[in-house]
Amino acid sequence: MNQDRSITYDFAAIGIGPFNLGLAALTQPIKGLKGIFFDQKETFEWHPGMMIEGTHLQVPFMADLVTMADPTSPYSFLNYCKQAGRLYNFYIKENFYLLREEYNLYCKWVIDQLEQLHFGQRVEQIKYSESRACYKLTVLDVNEQNYHFYYARKLVFGTGNTPYIPETCKGIQNKTHTASYLRDRAEILEKRSITIIGGGQSAAEVFIDLLQEIDMCHFELNWITRSSRYFPLEYSKLTLEMTSSDYVDYFHQLPPKKRDWLIQQQKSLYKGINFDLINEIYDLLYAKSLKNKLPIKILSCSDMQQVSDSDGRLRIKLFHHEQEKEYYHDTDYLILASGYETKIPSFMQPIRDRIKWDEKGRFAVNRNYSIDANHEIFVQNGELHTHGFVTPDLGMGAYRNAYIINEITGKEYFDLKQQWTFQHFGALDDQESEVHNELASFNYTY
């Protein structure tokens, strides 16, 4: 049975991950602003495949859903701790980095308080209605198999990214992506030889989790990365100033080719491994090596070029790009820490002509996070190539939402004009240079 929801919402958000959840929390107290949120999943689970016990976020607790935009919000992590009776426990813990499981529970606590969130609702199609001057969403109730229609003046896409599977691995068995690691862990532990491909945080967390089991399960454990080293995530304070609106302003005005080049140079800013985890891995390797020779290979500079499957045994063709030499590695199971990719949802097809695209077929994202000429369609975590490496950072989620809310409402609901950083990222203009020279010429007396 089709059902027509005749109300026209100010905005409709598709996908309920942390970024759109933050949008829901920040818009909740704004009187007169009507938004609705859809997600095809029936429940919220944040990266369930990597919910390894003891793993934590790499941003402090202030990077929750709301605090960096509205510290007084009732949906802050600290208020969650207070309501859950754990505020003093968190205080005594003296560690500002939330456990992943803790962050997941916090998000669910916020979800339970917001009525505008609708799970188990798959957006099938979006069209623009000229007669109503808004967007018409066709939404399938996954359980009831009924279609409903909704209308919204603006859209916010937070559909997230999907696990990237290299082309050479798509036809083989005995593999998984880190996104499904915990689901497949029991099967993995039964293998004689396990190989992890990738050199980032997820790969490191899976490696140390398996390393802890190596004495009991007696498997060979291998870790391979194309990078020249297993590098730590840069976390110095002046570098952290780049996770700011000031740097986004600077990055966005650069030419597209320069932005693409910069992203490739900045991998240690968002794809590295937590410094402490690297040391923990080494210390565990050292401790285990005291008893026996470890059945472990850790290989860098090695690009996976081909994978063949012969009766369940995988042969990986690798290319060492410093020695410029091909070699082979055999394993029983492959764990791909190969990251994620952005895919354009099929429901967007009818409105493709309203969206701006760059020469590589990506969203041409405006500075205000819109992707159309009329500033009606916004994206969350789809602007790495236009807004920089900070795009997937949870710490910038509240800022981006504040920016989007200002655009949706047409009001300066959040003050975003203040400069965040001590440093300048671009060349000084003439007026700034003149002021700087005047300050430098002062004679200070004490």
Side-chain angles (χ1 to χ4, degrees):
M1 181 180 72
N2 292 342
Q3 186 171 349
D4 187 358
R5 313 291 191 182
S6 58
I7 184 175
T8 299
Y9 290 89
D10 293 305
F11 69 94
I14 298 93
I16 306 176
F19 295 134
N20 266 349
L21 179 55
L23 180 65
L26 287 169
T27 54
Q28 173 71 11
I30 302 178
K31 293 181 179 180
L33 182 63
K34 292 185 179 295
I36 191 165
F37 296 74
F38 302 106
D39 197 294
Q40 63 182 345
K41 298 188 300 293
E42 295 191 28
T43 59
F44 177 93
E45 293 293 342
W46 187 70
H47 293 303
M50 286 299 294
M51 203 63 67
I52 301 170
E53 187 175 17
T55 56
H56 57 79
L57 305 186
Q58 298 196 63
V59 289
F61 73 92
M62 286 180 65
D64 61 14
L65 301 173
V66 294
T67 294
M68 295 302 289
D70 181 9
T72 67
S73 171
Y75 306 110
S76 70
F77 173 76
L78 287 183
N79 192 38
Y80 160 71
C81 284
K82 178 66 174 178
Q83 301 304 320
R86 289 208 303 274
L87 186 58
Y88 279 94
N89 300 107
F90 182 70
Y91 168 70
I92 293 170
K93 181 171 171 275
E94 289 191 331
N95 186 329
F96 284 174
Y97 298 91
L98 308 187
L99 296 171
R100 284 189 185 167
E101 185 177 3
E102 185 175 28
Y103 183 76
N104 193 49
L105 291 171
Y106 157 64
C107 288
K108 289 183 175 182
W109 173 78
V110 174
I111 287 168
D112 288 342
Q113 301 175 71
L114 301 176
E115 296 181 353
Q116 66 269 47
L117 307 175
H118 301 273
F119 289 90
Q121 306 291 313
R122 185 167 66 238
V123 176
E124 297 277 299
Q125 188 181 75
I126 301 178
K127 290 183 176 182
Y128 187 75
S129 171
E130 296 287 352
S131 61
R132 297 181 65 150
C134 66
Y135 295 91
K136 179 181 180 181
L137 290 78
T138 303
V139 181
L140 174 67
D141 187 306
V142 175
N143 288 321
E144 298 179 1
Q145 289 296 298
N146 288 338
Y147 285 98
H148 307 291
F149 303 108
Y150 298 85
Y151 298 91
R153 297 182 185 88
K154 291 179 170 60
L155 303 171
V156 183
F157 295 141
T159 50
N161 297 320
T162 58
Y164 171 68
I165 306 296
E167 198 65 35
T168 186
C169 297
K170 287 183 178 178
I172 67 170
Q173 304 297 316
N174 293 329
K175 72 171 187 301
T176 194
H177 191 277
T178 51
S180 303
Y181 171 67
L182 285 185
R183 183 198 67 187
D184 299 329
R185 187 175 183 272
E187 177 188 354
I188 294 169
L189 292 176
E190 294 177 354
K191 302 298 180 180
R192 293 175 301 152
S193 173
I194 305 164
T195 298
I196 303 164
I197 300 289
Q201 181 73 13
S202 296
E205 290 174 353
V206 168
F207 181 82
I208 196 169
D209 183 62
L210 291 173
L211 181 59
Q212 292 166 342
E213 304 287 346
I214 200 168
D215 296 330
M216 294 183 61
C217 297
H218 307 292
F219 48 72
E220 176 188 284
L221 183 58
N222 312 286
W223 188 8
I224 302 173
T225 179
R226 70 173 64 173
S227 299
S228 59
R229 61 193 176 92
Y230 291 85
F231 56 86
L233 193 70
E234 287 191 51
Y235 219 68
S236 61
K237 292 178 181 178
L238 284 176
T239 296
L240 281 177
E241 280 203 328
M242 296 171 70
T243 61
S244 66
S245 65
D246 298 320
Y247 187 75
V248 173
D249 288 338
Y250 163 74
F251 186 89
H252 190 269
Q253 56 81 37
L254 293 173
K257 288 184 179 179
K258 179 65 71 175
R259 294 193 304 230
D260 286 346
W261 179 83
L262 263 178
I263 286 294
Q264 293 302 313
Q265 308 307 309
Q266 295 175 337
K267 289 185 177 180
S268 63
L269 303 181
Y270 69 108
K271 284 193 173 182
I273 305 169
N274 178 272
F275 187 88
D276 291 336
L277 179 57
I278 293 177
N279 290 342
E280 187 181 347
I281 288 171
Y282 186 89
D283 291 347
L284 185 56
L285 287 167
Y286 182 85
K288 287 187 175 294
S289 70
L290 298 177
K291 300 177 184 178
N292 298 295
K293 180 178 174 60
L294 288 175
I296 284 175
K297 294 187 184 75
I298 301 177
L299 307 169
S300 59
C301 300
S302 299
D303 194 16
M304 181 175 65
Q305 294 192 322
Q306 184 179 337
V307 182
S308 57
D309 188 344
S310 178
D311 296 325
R313 184 73 170 167
L314 304 179
R315 166 153 280 208
I316 306 172
K317 180 182 178 182
L318 298 162
F319 181 76
H320 194 288
H321 54 76
E322 288 184 359
Q323 292 183 319
E324 298 186 0
K325 179 181 178 180
E326 292 180 353
Y327 68 103
Y328 292 87
H329 169 74
D330 295 331
T331 190
D332 293 324
Y333 201 92
L334 202 55
I335 302 174
L336 300 170
S338 46
Y340 294 78
E341 62 180 337
T342 300
K343 289 187 176 180
I344 307 301
S346 59
F347 62 70
M348 292 175 55
Q349 189 61 34
I351 58 171
R352 279 188 67 93
D353 60 344
R354 299 184 69 85
I355 295 172
K356 294 164 56 181
W357 306 90
D358 70 8
E359 61 183 14
K360 294 186 177 181
R362 304 171 298 190
F363 296 136
V365 190
N366 299 313
R367 176 59 186 89
N368 66 354
Y369 303 99
S370 66
I371 56 174
D372 66 311
N374 298 322
H375 306 296
E376 297 171 344
I377 308 172
F378 300 86
V379 290
Q380 302 258 37
N381 195 15
E383 69 280 4
L384 181 71
H385 56 290
T386 57
H387 288 61
F389 74 93
V390 74
T391 293
D393 193 296
L394 292 175
M396 279 291 284
Y399 163 79
R400 178 171 50 212
N401 278 324
Y403 209 122
I404 291 173
I405 290 168
N406 283 357
E407 293 294 318
I408 289 175
T409 60
K411 301 176 182 178
E412 291 297 314
Y413 193 85
F414 294 98
D415 179 10
L416 302 175
K417 294 178 181 177
Q418 49 191 299
Q419 183 176 342
W420 292 15
T421 60
F422 291 111
Q423 62 186 299
H424 291 269
F425 297 108
L428 297 177
D429 60 32
D430 292 341
Q431 184 177 1
E432 288 174 321
S433 296
E434 187 175 324
V435 171
H436 176 78
N437 292 334
E438 287 179 5
L439 289 172
S441 67
F442 284 167
N443 291 320
Y444 294 99
T445 57
Y446 299 91

